[in-house]
């Protein structure tokens, strides 16, 4: 009850206008807590580099809906998320959304194509040389590996504005 209040305010006033805050609460409780706990334990014994990122880039407004058409698995193609009954909130990025930037190149606008190239380059670099940004000049960013003393160090994937 106290945690819900911290994210959304008084329970009596809880409504759809709190959907984004409620989603953040669920993400923190059910996803990020587990990720951080795992990394805290894992980095104590890891022998190689570990890299952590958070995706904050949402599809650009140039081609609205191109990357949020995910219901074809269910036999329909409508703008929504993996769960079509959940409202689409522009700017909110869901777990796994970055996967679309690897596979839908022909449907991307200019800004989205730049993000797609950056993600694909970092993943390819990691596979080839064990580091996503071996030459910071290439992408203009250095992605530092986690350390056992600092697991909250992540790369925030977002476009430069």
């Amino acid at each position: 009850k106290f945690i819900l209040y911290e994210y959304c305010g008084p329970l009596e006033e809880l409504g759809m206008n709190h959907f984004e805050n409620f989603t953040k609460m669920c993400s923190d409780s059910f996803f990020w807590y587990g990720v951080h706990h795992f990394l805290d334990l894992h980095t104590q014994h890891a022998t190689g580099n570990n890299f952590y990122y958070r995706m904050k880039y949402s599809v650009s407004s140039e081609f609205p809906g191109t990357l949020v058409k995910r219901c074809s698995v269910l036999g329909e193609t409508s703008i929504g998320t993996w769960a079509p009954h959940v409202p689409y909130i522009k700017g909110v990025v869901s777990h796994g959304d970055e996967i679309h930037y690897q596979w839908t190149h022909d449907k991307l606008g200019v800004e989205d194509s730049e993000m797609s190239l950056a993600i694909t380059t970092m993943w390819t670099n990691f596979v080839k040389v064990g580091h996503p940004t071996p030459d910071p000049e290439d992408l203009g960013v250095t992605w530092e590996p986690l350390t056992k003393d600092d697991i909250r160090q992540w790369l925030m994937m977002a476009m430069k504005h």
Side-chain angles (χ1 to χ4, degrees):
K1 189 171 175 178
F2 296 111
I3 294 173
L4 180 61
Y5 182 85
E6 187 66 31
Y7 281 86
C8 299
L11 190 58
E12 303 78 38
E13 298 173 17
L14 189 62
M16 283 307 292
N17 58 324
H18 295 99
F19 185 81
E20 189 171 345
N21 288 353
F22 184 79
T23 300
K24 286 179 183 178
M25 180 188 74
C26 291
S27 295
D28 288 348
S29 300
F30 302 118
F31 188 77
W32 294 120
Y33 173 79
V35 168
H36 291 163
H37 184 67
F38 168 80
L39 290 172
D40 195 28
L41 297 172
H42 177 72
T43 54
Q44 301 302 315
H45 306 284
T47 57
N49 286 333
N50 293 275
F51 296 90
Y52 180 25
Y53 70 93
R54 291 185 72 173
M55 185 72 169
K56 286 291 186 180
Y57 178 76
S58 181
V59 65
S60 74
S61 58
E62 293 178 39
F63 296 96
T66 50
L67 296 180
V68 293
K69 292 182 181 179
R70 302 187 185 104
C71 299
S72 57
V73 176
L74 303 175
E76 57 180 278
T77 24
S78 61
I79 295 178
T81 62
W82 290 106
H85 58 281
V86 176
Y88 172 70
I89 301 172
K90 183 164 177 47
V92 174
V93 181
S94 297
H95 176 66
D97 278 357
E98 68 275 18
I99 301 302
H100 297 282
Y101 293 100
Q102 186 174 10
W103 304 113
T104 56
H105 300 286
D106 60 330
K107 297 177 184 175
L108 300 177
V110 174
E111 198 173 270
D112 298 330
S113 292
E114 290 173 9
M115 178 56 75
S116 175
L117 180 60
I119 290 171
T120 304
T121 300
M122 287 186 278
W123 287 347
T124 303
N125 285 341
F126 180 75
V127 169
K128 289 192 308 191
V129 299
H131 197 292
T133 56
D135 183 1
E137 300 292 319
D138 286 347
L139 296 171
V141 65
T142 301
W143 188 350
E144 297 293 339
L146 297 176
T147 67
K148 62 182 175 185
D149 299 322
D150 186 9
I151 62 160
R152 304 300 191 274
Q153 177 175 292
W154 60 73
L155 177 70
M156 186 66 71
M157 290 191 185
M159 287 304 287
K160 295 180 275 185
H161 291 287

